[in-house]
């Protein structure tokens, strides 16, 4: 391995992709110091929307890597452009879809962490609504009491009371929304609503962007100077990556193409694949699990409450066959790869832990994001002799198993 191209597909994230470059710079430097290798970044040398170049020296091997972020943050931002009322309507619709379809009850048979994470925005938004309504009632009663001191309480007093109460309650809801960078209720509600709105089908704008991703990856596969093309999908980006790669392989890749690999991190595939109309995703999951061209390694950790840890996304979605090859499901084992002090610091920071796969480990095991993306081994070679985690969940759980036609 001397040259690699990495395509990183983020999850449902409205933040500018420079966030990932700075995270890579900071955490890569920390991991290199801990593990005894060198890693340096400079501006990107390719034509992608946003990327950077990485030079690494690991033992006697020097590797040059071009990283590119597959940007869909603009689509995420547009999907989050809902009013407070619109968000509460999303809450009702999303809850209705997951409950009445039976998807929620099936998801609860898997890891409790991501189900709790899914219920959290519903409960938090309801609490905010109850507090706003309670404050509105208090203001109404206060105005009524003051009015009664000078005149009988009539229709005018009630109207003024409810108008003032409604205004104050609405201001409280706006205050909660402004502080959503602390509560994450609106953000998570928009996230779950995005997939649920079409009951598991990809929205047209996402399908169009995925076609662009496929084109970018295919161009890299035509570069004879590359040794590996690695696709990394994090969180919701994992199921996006599954469909992009399935489409690419069905189309065919050049015979002399570099090694093509897929790394899924902190995946939440069941949140989509368990929905009634996710037939396209279920088909792509099965296809990618059977093919021989791409090594697919799925990394999660039980300590990540926002991911379906060690849940084989193909098996639990009900589309595994006896010929299934992928993914290799392994654990990042946060409680072992982070020191007790570091684990104690991070264990209740749920959203930070969901990004730990992209960060440094102070007691690293065989999972090292920076050696995978900038090291001298392909993904398949690195995990050639690795056995799947014995704690993985690989039984059929989804109620819906239909697949789209080719």
């Amino acid at each position: 391995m001397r040259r690699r191209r990495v395509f990183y597909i983020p999850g449902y994230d409205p933040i500018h992709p420079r966030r990932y470059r700075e995270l890579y710079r900071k955490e890569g430097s920390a991991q290199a110091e801990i593990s005894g290798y060198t890693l340096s970044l400079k501006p990107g040398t390719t034509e992608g929307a946003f990327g950077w170049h990485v030079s690494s020296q690991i033992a006697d091997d020097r590797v040059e890597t071009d990283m590119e972020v597959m940007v869909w943050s603009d689509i995420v931002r547009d999907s989050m452009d809902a009013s407070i009322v619109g968000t509460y309507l999303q809450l009702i619709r999303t809850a209705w879809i997951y409950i009445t379809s039976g998807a929620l009850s099936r998801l609860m048979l898997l890891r409790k962490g991501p189900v709790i994470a899914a219920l959290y925005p519903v409960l938090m938004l309801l609490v905010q609504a109850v507090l706003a309504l309670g404050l509105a009632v208090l203001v109404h009663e206060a105005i009524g009491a003051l009015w009664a001191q000078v005149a009988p309480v009539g229709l005018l007093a009630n109207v003024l009371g409810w108008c003032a109460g409604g205004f104050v309650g609405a201001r409280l809801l706006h205050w909660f929304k402004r502080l959503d960078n602390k509560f994450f209720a609106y953000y998570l509600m928009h996230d779950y609503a995005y997939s649920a709105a079409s009951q598991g089908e990809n929205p047209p704008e996402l399908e169009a962007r995925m076609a662009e991703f496929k084109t970018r990856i295919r161009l890299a596969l035509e570069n004879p100077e590359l040794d590996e093309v690695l696709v990394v999908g994090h969180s919701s980006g994992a199921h996006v990556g599954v469909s992009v790669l399935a489409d690419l392989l069905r189309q065919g890749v050049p015979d002399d193409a570099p090694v093509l690999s897929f790394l899924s991190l902190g995946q939440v595939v069941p949140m989509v694949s368990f929905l009634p109309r996710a037939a396209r995703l279920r088909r792509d999951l099965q296809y990618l699990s059977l093919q021989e061209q791409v090594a697919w390694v799925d990394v999660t950790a039980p300590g990540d409450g926002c991911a379906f840890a060690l849940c084989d996304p193909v098996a639990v979605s009900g589309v595994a066959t006896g010929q299934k090859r992928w993914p290799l499901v392994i654990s990042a084992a946060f409680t072992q790869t982070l020191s007790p002090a570091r684990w104690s610091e991070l264990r209740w920071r749920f959203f930070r832990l969901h990004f730990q796969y992209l960060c440094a480990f102070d007691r690293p095991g065989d999972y090292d994001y920076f050696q995978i993306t900038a090291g001298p081994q392909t993904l398949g070679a690195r995990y050639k002799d690795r056995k799947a985690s014995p704690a993985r969940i690989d039984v059929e759980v989804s109620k819906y198993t239909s697949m789209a036609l080719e």
Side-chain angles (χ1 to χ4, degrees):
M1 270 295 307
R2 290 294 178 266
R3 293 202 60 187
R4 175 189 287 109
R5 187 76 179 275
V6 177
F7 293 94
Y8 174 76
I9 306 177
Y12 185 87
D13 189 349
I15 305 300
H16 192 280
R18 72 170 63 92
R19 168 191 187 183
Y20 296 103
R21 179 191 62 198
E22 295 311 310
L23 184 66
Y24 196 100
R25 183 194 308 278
K26 175 185 174 184
E27 297 295 329
S29 176
Q31 191 67 73
E33 183 176 352
I34 290 167
S35 300
Y37 53 83
T38 62
L39 204 70
S40 61
L41 273 66
K42 66 180 183 181
T45 59
T46 60
E47 296 181 355
F50 189 89
W52 60 92
H53 185 83
V54 185
S55 297
S56 69
Q57 183 75 42
I58 300 176
D60 296 328
D61 299 297
R62 184 168 184 84
V63 182
E64 303 295 328
T65 300
D66 286 300
M67 304 278 297
E68 180 177 336
V69 179
M70 310 297 265
V71 179
W72 62 294
S73 53
D74 56 323
I75 295 175
V76 174
R77 286 193 296 271
D78 289 344
S79 73
M80 295 177 68
D81 187 22
S83 64
I84 292 174
V85 173
T87 301
Y88 278 92
L89 291 175
Q90 283 184 341
L91 183 159
I92 295 169
R93 182 171 61 247
T94 302
W96 175 260
I97 289 170
Y98 273 104
I99 293 171
T100 59
S101 69
L104 181 61
S105 62
R106 296 303 179 101
L107 290 169
M108 293 175 71
L109 298 175
L110 298 175
R111 299 290 182 180
K112 292 182 173 58
V115 176
I116 293 172
L119 294 176
Y120 165 78
V122 175
L123 296 176
M124 179 58 74
L125 288 171
L126 289 177
V127 167
Q128 292 177 9
V130 169
L131 290 175
L133 179 60
L135 183 59
V137 171
L138 286 175
V139 170
H140 170 267
E141 294 297 322
I143 289 178
L146 291 173
W147 189 282
Q149 294 179 9
V150 295
V153 176
L155 178 61
L156 179 59
N158 275 312
V159 170
L160 289 175
W162 284 122
C163 286
F167 174 79
V168 174
R171 297 314 303 165
L172 180 61
L173 288 177
H174 279 283
W175 181 77
F176 281 131
K177 188 176 182 180
R178 285 199 304 271
L179 292 180
D180 201 58
N181 61 336
K182 299 183 184 298
F183 297 126
F184 298 104
Y186 283 84
Y187 165 71
L188 287 172
M189 191 69 258
H190 295 315
D191 185 356
Y192 300 129
Y194 187 68
S195 296
S198 54
Q199 299 189 51
E201 284 186 322
N202 291 325
E205 67 276 7
L206 181 58
E207 281 286 355
R209 191 62 53 88
M210 288 163 60
E212 295 176 15
F213 294 169
K214 182 186 69 174
T215 300
R216 295 292 302 159
I217 297 169
R218 183 171 181 81
L219 285 173
L221 290 171
E222 295 172 354
N223 185 344
E225 297 181 357
L226 294 176
D227 298 303
E228 181 184 34
V229 173
L230 172 64
V231 177
V232 179
H234 176 246
S235 193
S236 300
H239 66 75
V240 172
V242 165
S243 290
V244 169
L245 285 171
D247 286 350
L248 180 66
L249 292 177
R250 278 191 288 262
Q251 188 182 67
V253 298
D255 292 336
D256 57 349
V259 173
L260 179 59
S261 309
F262 180 43
L263 175 67
S264 51
L265 303 172
Q267 56 89 4
V268 291
V269 169
M271 288 298 299
V272 182
S273 67
F274 280 29
L275 290 169
R277 289 161 56 185
R280 188 244 216 270
L281 176 57
R282 290 190 287 267
R283 177 199 65 186
D284 296 340
L285 284 165
Q286 185 185 80
Y287 181 86
L288 207 62
S289 75
L290 296 172
Q291 53 75 41
E292 302 180 23
Q293 294 172 273
V294 177
W296 175 12
V297 178
D298 181 69
V299 182
T300 50
D304 175 13
C306 296
F308 283 92
L310 304 183
C311 294
D312 184 316
V314 178
V316 300
S317 299
V319 292
T321 70
Q323 291 73 46
K324 176 178 174 292
R325 297 173 179 271
W326 307 106
L328 173 65
V329 177
I330 63 175
S331 176
F334 292 166
T335 57
Q336 300 171 38
T337 53
L338 295 171
S339 65
R342 187 65 173 147
W343 174 243
S344 178
E345 177 187 348
L346 294 176
R347 67 179 304 177
W348 301 116
R349 296 172 59 187
F350 301 112
F351 295 103
R352 168 59 179 80
L353 276 176
H354 193 46
F355 282 87
Q356 178 59 41
Y357 310 97
L358 312 179
C359 298
F361 292 84
D362 52 0
R363 295 168 57 178
D366 63 355
Y367 174 73
D368 179 331
Y369 180 63
F370 306 98
Q371 289 206 48
I372 290 172
T373 55
Q377 290 181 293
T378 64
L379 184 70
R382 182 176 181 84
Y383 291 105
K384 180 181 178 181
D385 299 319
R386 179 67 149 84
K387 294 186 181 300
S389 170
R392 71 190 182 282
I393 299 173
D394 59 357
V395 295
E396 180 179 326
V397 180
S398 177
K399 176 181 177 181
Y400 303 98
T401 58
S402 61
M403 292 180 283
L405 298 176
E406 295 289 344

